[in-house]
Amino acid sequence: MTNTLKVLAISGSLRQDSYNTAALRAARDSAPSDMHIEFADLSHIPLYDQDQRDQLVPAAVTKLSEQIQAADALLFATPEYNYSMSGVLKNAIDWVSREQPHPFAGKPAAIMSASMSLLGGVRAQYDLRRACVFLDVHCLNKPEVMISSAHERFDAEGRLTDEKTGEFIAKLVSSLGEWTRKLQAGEQR
């Protein structure tokens, strides 16, 4: 029997009605039976401050670091702000990247984005992927999920209503599971 994969979902949005958090919920709902998706909470992470870090790492940062360390894989969803990933996500990454042992190192990950624009957050994904190179995160290259016109694909309660988008998300989650198991087995392709 296959062990259950523990995936940590990290939304780069704090907004209550976030399309990215809604996309992560859709991913959780479409996850295969051998995968459990848990959600990270970035809302209590303060702005990065090296002086504060030198004195005491905030509990919210320690918790996120422990969640990342315990996860078999990561699933990011980020909005696009000013052609880049959200400041909330970048801030969390900056805090956690300084923890030892390095929680991100060697983690498989998948990235998706949701945006009201026609590009669906593609530039945010590009910047997040660049950061993941430094973090030594092993990002799944394909399939790619960029949810454009997100306000037309979710209802007022944040439920995904677009069937095709649901299929893309399900394929991403399934592929993340396969990618994670390959990396765990020492396979690179």
Side-chain angles (χ1 to χ4, degrees):
M1 179 163 181
T2 306
N3 291 336
T4 299
L5 290 177
K6 294 185 299 187
V7 176
L8 183 64
I10 304 173
S11 175
S13 176
L14 300 179
R15 193 169 69 87
Q16 182 176 341
D17 297 327
S18 164
Y19 297 120
N20 285 279
T21 303
L24 289 171
R25 284 193 304 271
R28 178 197 59 207
D29 295 345
S30 68
S33 61
D34 66 343
M35 181 184 287
H36 172 74
I37 298 179
E38 173 187 358
F39 284 70
D41 179 7
L42 307 185
S43 65
H44 299 292
I45 297 177
L47 291 175
Y48 181 77
D49 178 347
Q50 183 65 44
D51 292 336
Q52 181 181 5
R53 186 185 184 290
D54 289 345
Q55 293 176 21
L56 179 67
V57 175
V61 173
T62 300
K63 180 179 180 182
L64 179 61
S65 297
E66 290 170 351
Q67 287 178 300
I68 291 169
Q69 191 69 41
D72 295 307
L74 308 173
L75 178 58
F76 293 100
T78 184
E80 183 174 305
Y81 298 155
N82 301 310
Y83 287 12
S84 188
M85 73 178 105
S86 72
V88 168
L89 182 56
K90 177 70 166 72
N91 182 61
I93 288 170
D94 290 345
W95 272 106
V96 173
S97 70
R98 284 151 176 84
E99 293 298 293
Q100 295 298 325
H102 190 36
F104 286 113
K107 292 288 177 184
I111 299 171
M112 62 179 166
S113 54
S115 170
M116 293 192 327
S117 78
L118 294 177
L119 294 179
V122 66
R123 294 169 291 214
Q125 284 199 28
Y126 175 74
D127 277 357
L128 179 52
R129 285 178 185 279
R130 287 187 322 148
C132 285
V133 170
F134 175 78
L135 298 170
D136 193 26
V137 170
H138 301 295
C139 287
L140 179 68
N141 290 323
K142 293 191 186 270
E144 296 178 298
V145 176
M146 295 103 165
I147 305 168
S148 62
S149 303
H151 57 292
E152 298 172 359
R153 300 180 195 283
F154 296 89
D155 66 17
E157 285 76 41
R159 290 184 300 257
L160 183 63
T161 57
D162 184 75
E163 186 177 323
K164 198 64 160 167
T165 300
E167 291 172 11
F168 288 136
I169 291 172
K171 178 65 176 158
L172 180 72
V173 172
S174 174
S175 296
L176 176 60
E178 292 169 14
W179 177 234
T180 301
R181 296 214 188 274
K182 283 183 180 183
L183 290 177
Q184 288 175 337
E187 300 172 27
Q188 293 300 313
R189 290 199 172 273

